[in-house]
Amino acid sequence: MCAAANLNTPLLFFSGKGGVGKTTLAAAHALARADLGKRVLLISTDPAHNLGDTFDRELDGTARAVAPGLDALEIDPDAECRSYIARVKENIRATVRSSLLAEAERHIDLAAGSPGAYEAALFDRMVAIILDEAKLGEERGYDQVVFDTAPTGHTIRLLNLPELMGAWIDGLLRQRHEHNRERSQWLGENEPPQDPLYELLHERRRRIAVVRDMLLDHEQSSFVFVLTPEHLPVRETQRAVAELAEHRLPVSALAINKVLPGVAKGAAKEPVGQPGPDDFLGQRRAAQGRHLETIERLFADLPRSFIELQSTDVHSLEALRRVAAQWQQGD
């Protein structure tokens, strides 16, 4: 828990470029919170799941205990998409004439492969976890839900979905309302007919709005970007921080991971030596020092923690606790 940031919010997201250590940092944070006596749910939304490997456990879409006070699950996007499409088909059966049902379902199957269907299904499951399954704030619920997300671009699309889906459903609601009004006039009725699909859309719009408000509330949600002191992760993080800020989703802290021992976190204040051409480790340290200077300059207003490159793989509770000890320190 980066000391200078509020990362004890009910929702906490870890994001960043692929390969920078998001899963390790998310798991280390979640374990540290559980060690303090909190009930924590750790969730992977990355199709290339590593969460189970980190805890050396088989995980699926059902929460399982991986440590005292800590449960974890891995969302299967393909399974969620199939479930999502099945629910859509079930919902339209009450509103579409039997003669048109086969054609409607064919269009739904085609839509399942369209851009955004994957994210919409995944976001629906996230909404269900946040509003129903996690039972945040309740006596037997979780104190915090930690999301280990897919690489940066996917995460940004996912976090932008509440705004996009809200506007899309608003349009569908207006069309449905107008259809019901015209149908009522044509039938000579004083009141619009009951419309199960309209009610379903309205309820979905309400749930999306609730989650969107939580994401925008700094007391409810925090966002951590994980990066390494290398050129591409630094530049990707710079773009992502700016893009999230445009959507009023400010990043709460940075975790600079895999810093070589001997490279000072205050590199901007210390001269960088000139290693010889055959000094591989010296060249890597010098390069990291330069990138740390850039990080200090670009993200001076963000709390930062520096986590050293570990001497062994991180796939045990003890190793995660060593990472958490560094994560708990910050500028």
Side-chain angles (χ1 to χ4, degrees), residues 199-271:
E199 297 302 323
L200 285 167
L201 287 170
H202 196 274
E203 175 61 12
R204 191 177 185 206
R205 179 68 177 90
R206 184 194 68 79
R207 288 166 64 85
I208 289 172
V210 170
V211 171
R212 182 174 183 273
D213 289 344
M214 292 181 71
L215 294 178
L216 295 175
D217 186 346
H218 300 178
E219 298 298 319
Q220 296 288 318
S221 301
S222 301
F223 300 88
V224 174
F225 265 83
V226 182
L227 67 156
T228 53
E230 299 173 284
H231 177 73
L232 293 180
V234 171
R235 294 305 176 190
E236 185 167 312
T237 301
Q238 182 185 17
R239 290 191 293 270
V241 168
E243 188 168 351
L244 285 182
E246 290 178 2
H247 294 274
R248 294 185 291 152
L249 295 167
V251 175
S252 307
L254 298 181
I256 298 91
N257 195 26
K258 302 181 182 180
V259 180
L260 289 170
V263 180
K265 71 176 183 179
K269 305 178 182 67
E270 298 183 6

Side-chain angles (χ1 to χ4, degrees), residues 127-203:
V127 169
I129 290 171
I130 292 169
L131 298 185
D132 305 324
E133 300 171 35
K135 301 186 185 303
L136 288 164
E138 297 183 17
E139 184 178 352
R140 299 179 61 83
Y142 293 100
D143 298 297
Q144 187 173 53
V145 179
V146 179
F147 288 94
D148 165 32
T149 68
T152 308
H154 170 82
T155 301
I156 289 176
R157 290 195 301 273
L158 196 63
L159 294 177
N160 287 342
L161 267 183
E163 184 175 351
L164 297 174
M165 290 177 69
W168 177 67
I169 291 177
D170 281 344
L172 290 179
L173 286 170
R174 285 193 296 270
Q175 292 179 18
R176 199 71 194 172
H177 177 76
E178 182 63 23
H179 168 78
N180 289 338
R181 188 182 66 82
E182 291 176 356
R183 181 184 173 198
S184 175
Q185 291 176 347
W186 181 72
L187 293 174
E189 298 174 350
N190 294 325
E191 297 291 334
Q194 289 188 341
D195 185 350
L197 183 57
Y198 183 90
E199 297 302 323
L200 285 167
L201 287 170
H202 196 274
E203 175 61 12

Side-chain angles (χ1 to χ4, degrees), residues 26 31 58 102-103 106 126-127 247 306 314:
L31 181 61
E58 289 288 335
E103 182 67 12
R106 188 180 71 83
M126 289 175 62
V127 169
H247 294 274
F306 299 82
V314 181

